[in-house]
Amino acid sequence: MKQIVITAYGNPAVLKIQEKADPEPSAGEVRVKVKAIGINFADILARKGLYPDAPKPPCVVGYEISGVIEAVGPGVSASLIDSSVLALTRFNGYADKVCVPENSVFAIPKSLDFERSAALPVNYLTAYQLICVMGGLKKGESVLIHNAGGGVGLAALDIARHLEAAIYGTASAAKHSFLIQRGLNHPIDYRSQDFLAAIMELTDKKGVELILDPIGGRSWKKNYQALRSTGRLGMFGVSSLTESAMGRIFQFIRLIAQMPWYNPLRLMNANKSVFGVNLGHMWHERDKIAGWMQKILAGVDDGWVRPHVDRTFLFEEAPQAHAYIEARKNIGKTVLVVDS
Ligand SMILES: NC(=O)c1ccc[n+]([C@@H]2O[C@H](COP(=O)([O-])OP(=O)(O)OC[C@H]3O[C@@H](n4cnc5c(N)ncnc54)[C@H](OP(=O)(O)O)[C@@H]3O)[C@@H](O)[C@H]2O)c1
């Protein structure tokens, strides 16, 4: 098998292909011959040493793949062999063969190819947990989606649109026309505009009922201010960590200094709530994940779940794919394809 290894913390050139023996599926596992690999922002953070959850280098990251089951471990029905599946992987996804528990794989809907299937699991599960499970967004409510042009952002847009919410979103100006086509009602160019001022102006100073924040840092406090009474702030990332050229330790110190304190009395009196989401800490809740995934896959069949692949790169081009995302060129998902 071939894997893409983060050989050391650093720029995209630290990603190197290495060969090793094929993995054997253990009891309850299947081995998937990988066709496509979804790249997540967390992979970039891991490569830079800014993602505490990731294994230390040399390591193989990757949270999601699609492909064909080619072998099964003890206790798994051989009838699954040759099935086309998408799967969540707990790291090790940057590989042309991956072993995963049987309950982490899902049949690919007929309307999706391998590339769009690999673009689906992390983005839509995260957005589903944020909006439907913890954010409780309802028809007619308003939601602010930060980083609306990213993979999670586009997934959130699909779900909020399906729920018939009023949708506000921040993204670079060049991405606005595409986002409007996808259903965004109020694009905000956060680079040239203060998003808090924009939200207050657009909502007649009321604010919004739900905010999805993957940016962190300075945006935490401003988001809280942008919440309407009964509003919920869902925090799920710290993309702002990559903004500075400071060393890793200083970046973490700066992040801690920017953290707000949400005290219970203040929350009560403001009628606001804050919550966090980390899909990577949900491995012990596979039943919940499977239930959400069934709803998302039904949404593919119904046409409102529309995973969007911005660009594919060959497996060997992982460094270029990382550089592309870091340059903020992607709208939606960037996917590696395995040529075999
Ligand atoms: N907690 C979880 O379970 C979970 C799951 C998935 C993702 N996440 C987090 O969600 C965030 C987005 O992930 P994703 O995979 O959707 O990202 P993505 O598709 O790679 O989106 C990247 C986009 O983010 C925007 N952006 C805003 N601030 C940025 C910054 N400081 N550095 C780089 N890009 C920035 C850029 O769009 P513009 O051109 O509009 O600026 C960029 O194109 C990340 O923080 C990720 O770690 C968390």
Side-chain angles (χ1 to χ4, degrees):
M1 69 179 290
K2 286 187 196 152
Q3 293 182 313
I4 298 165
V5 180
I6 297 179
T7 51
Y9 294 138
N11 66 31
V14 301
L15 296 169
K16 306 264 191 229
I17 292 187
Q18 290 182 7
E19 296 206 16
K20 62 188 268 195
D22 285 358
E24 284 308 319
S26 309
E29 286 189 340
V30 299
R31 187 173 71 215
V32 181
K33 187 169 168 49
V34 176
K35 299 283 187 184
I37 302 160
I39 301 185
N40 285 287
F41 203 79
D43 308 341
I44 313 277
L45 293 174
R47 199 202 71 230
K48 293 179 156 208
L50 297 171
Y51 188 51
D53 284 354
K56 301 256 172 302
C59 68
V60 179
V61 295
Y63 274 130
E64 57 193 348
I65 52 112
S66 63
V68 178
I69 295 179
E70 63 171 12
V72 296
V76 181
S77 167
S79 65
L80 288 179
I81 290 174
D82 290 336
S83 309
S84 294
V85 293
L86 53 88
L88 285 164
T89 55
R90 190 174 193 173
F91 303 112
N92 294 319
Y94 280 27
D96 64 358
K97 294 188 183 207
V98 174
C99 287
V100 269
E102 181 191 4
N103 61 4
S104 286
V105 303
F106 302 88
I108 292 182
K110 284 195 177 55
S111 61
L112 291 189
D113 55 21
F114 285 115
E115 286 84 2
R116 292 174 75 218
S117 300
L120 182 141
V122 171
N123 288 168
Y124 280 88
L125 285 168
T126 306
Y128 189 87
Q129 185 178 346
L130 282 160
I131 295 180
C132 302
V133 181
M134 298 181 77
L137 187 67
K138 289 164 206 71
K139 181 174 178 174
E141 285 193 325
S142 50
V143 57
L144 168 60
I145 303 171
H146 283 294
N147 184 6
V152 178
L154 278 187
L157 194 48
D158 272 356
I159 296 172
R161 182 171 162 266
H162 178 63
L163 292 171
E164 299 179 47
I167 314 173
Y168 303 79
T170 62
S172 312
K175 300 177 182 175
H176 287 193
S177 58
F178 177 80
L179 291 171
I180 290 167
Q181 277 173 36
R182 294 279 295 200
L184 180 63
N185 305 120
H186 305 282
I188 298 168
D189 176 8
Y190 71 103
R191 295 194 196 206
S192 66
Q193 260 179 303
D194 178 64
F195 80 80
L196 175 58
I199 282 291
M200 287 318 199
E201 193 183 325
L202 287 164
T203 60
D204 206 14
K205 297 200 170 56
K206 289 195 180 85
V208 292
E209 272 115 354
L210 178 64
I211 302 182
L212 313 184
D213 179 19
I215 311 287
R218 274 173 302 174
S219 79
W220 279 321
K221 283 184 186 155
K222 284 167 79 169
N223 280 322
Y224 188 80
Q225 290 173 268
L227 284 181
R228 185 175 180 166
S229 298
T230 75
R232 292 86 68 190
L233 167 58
M235 293 162 288
F236 69 107
V238 282
S239 298
S240 61
L241 264 180
T242 61
E243 272 165 15
S244 130
M246 286 189 292
R248 285 166 50 215
I249 303 295
F250 288 106
Q251 290 188 7
F252 281 119
I253 291 172
R254 188 179 68 151
L255 191 74
I256 288 165
Q258 290 169 330
M259 274 182 198
W261 294 100
Y262 299 112
N263 85 53
L265 287 176
R266 204 173 145 222
L267 287 171
M268 277 190 248
N269 292 339
N271 287 294
K272 294 182 180 182
S273 67
V274 294
F275 64 92
V277 162
N278 189 341
L279 193 67
H281 289 207
M282 288 291 288
W283 298 103
H284 59 297
E285 294 279 15
R286 286 184 200 268
D287 290 351
K288 275 187 194 277
I289 299 280
W292 304 343
M293 187 59 108
Q294 294 310 342
K295 295 217 166 64
I296 293 164
L297 294 175
V300 174
D301 293 335
D302 292 344
W304 58 268
V305 168
R306 306 166 296 166
H308 176 75
V309 175
D310 171 84
R311 192 168 159 187
T312 60
F313 288 84
L314 292 175
F315 187 72
E316 296 73 22
E317 296 173 328
Q320 290 91 318
H322 271 218
Y324 182 75
I325 294 172
E326 277 184 81
R328 303 187 183 196
K329 290 187 178 157
N330 61 307
I331 307 186
K333 199 77 174 178
T334 308
V335 167
L336 295 178
V337 289
V338 182
D339 198 10
S340 53

